[in-house]
Amino acid sequence: MKVSKLFQCMLAGAVALFCAILPALAAPPVRIAVACGGGSGMEQDVVDRISGDLQNNSNVVVSTVKPDWFITCNIIDRTDTAGGSVRVNGTIVIKTTDGHVLNTVSTQTNKSDFSLQPGTPVNKRLFDNAAREVIQSLVERSRDPISAAVDTEIQTRDKIIKAQRLGDDDKYEEAIELLSPISPDTPHFRGVRQLMAEFRMELDALYCVRDAQKLAAAGKYSQAITTLKGVDAKSKRSALAKELSSKYRAALARQTARRSKPAAAKPVTSSNTAQLQALDAQKKALEAQKKAVEAQEQALRQKGK
């Protein structure tokens, strides 16, 4: 079956729209500034290599402009000229801009120049070898921790974005379940816990509104008003809860007025008229019987005299 050109155009447009929307829903890359701690040439060599590795990672932007993280390299030369030993210490610290340390990588090397004569400088080749070892070791040891930290960050950002979308659709239980595994190791832990608390509040508010609407539908306005008091003032349903409360108070007032109003007299029908006439006839007959009894009583009294 041939597909019409119109359908092909519509399909191409839908795919283009999806591709345009998808990046907006994905987590943004991590902005990382890689810097020297002391400004030495050895540190700069490490910084250049790490920056080169990171530029190949699509989830990272290497920049000193508004970075999310800092990767700082410190290399300290502790050469003992008198003792003929070379010791070089290197450290890389990965941390967020607000000071949350994500990981630390350290290494050191020690070399001794046993041929050193008193008063002569340490062998330069020995020092160069020590420096190269520290530089290479720092770069290699830091690759996996940096990569793992970036992966965790992107996964966490993805979960937060998805959870926020679920919250927008009132799917709070799914959003909370998605965020629950996020551990204190991530710098987003505190913000995630606050977001989960917000979702729990909104979930409670959602249930309160739904329960109140069911009660109101059953005419239980007083209970509905009490239920709506459980909606937190910070909830996005706070305005709706106030609106419903006012509505239910007015309905409750009308309901109370109807119950306290006296019942109206029933209209007189033809059936009622006939019954009234019968009762009136019985009344007249009874009055006639009463008069006859009274006359007999009076006659008997007169005979007795």
Side-chain angles (χ1 to χ4, degrees), residues 247-266:
K247 177 182 177 181
Y248 296 158
R249 286 192 183 93
L252 178 62
R254 291 192 298 269
Q255 186 184 69
T256 304
R258 285 196 302 269
R259 290 175 178 174
S260 60
K261 186 177 180 180
K266 294 183 179 180

Side-chain angles (χ1 to χ4, degrees), residues 7-115:
F7 179 77
Q8 290 178 343
C9 292
M10 292 174 62
L11 182 61
V15 172
L17 179 61
F18 176 77
C19 294
I21 293 175
L22 186 59
L25 300 178
V30 185
R31 300 180 65 84
I32 302 178
V34 189
C36 301
S40 70
M42 292 184 291
E43 293 172 352
Q44 189 60 52
D45 194 358
V46 174
V47 167
D48 291 343
R49 295 191 191 187
I50 292 176
S51 298
D53 288 344
L54 291 176
Q55 286 173 351
N56 295 323
N57 190 330
S58 60
N59 290 322
V60 174
V61 172
V62 179
S63 175
T64 56
V65 179
K66 295 182 179 180
D68 300 314
W69 295 356
F70 288 113
I71 296 179
T72 307
C73 175
N74 285 282
I75 296 180
I76 301 175
D77 171 20
R78 297 189 181 278
T79 300
D80 181 6
T81 304
S85 64
V86 176
R87 186 174 69 182
V88 181
N89 298 335
T91 303
I92 288 178
V93 179
I94 310 165
K95 65 180 180 180
T96 63
T97 52
D98 58 359
H100 183 99
V101 177
L102 300 171
N103 211 328
T104 301
V105 178
S106 299
T107 188
Q108 70 174 12
T109 185
N110 292 283
K111 295 187 178 299
S112 298
D113 187 355
F114 297 104
S115 64

Side-chain angles (χ1 to χ4, degrees), residues 27 40 60 63 81 83 88-91 97 119 155 158 162 172 179 181 184 201 206 215 233 240 275 282 286 293 304:
S40 70
V60 174
S63 175
T81 304
V88 181
N89 298 335
T91 303
T97 52
Q155 291 170 8
D158 280 337
K162 291 177 182 177
Y172 301 112
L179 295 175
M201 174 195 69
L206 178 62
L215 290 167
L240 175 60
Q275 291 179 359
Q282 290 179 6
L286 290 173
V293 171

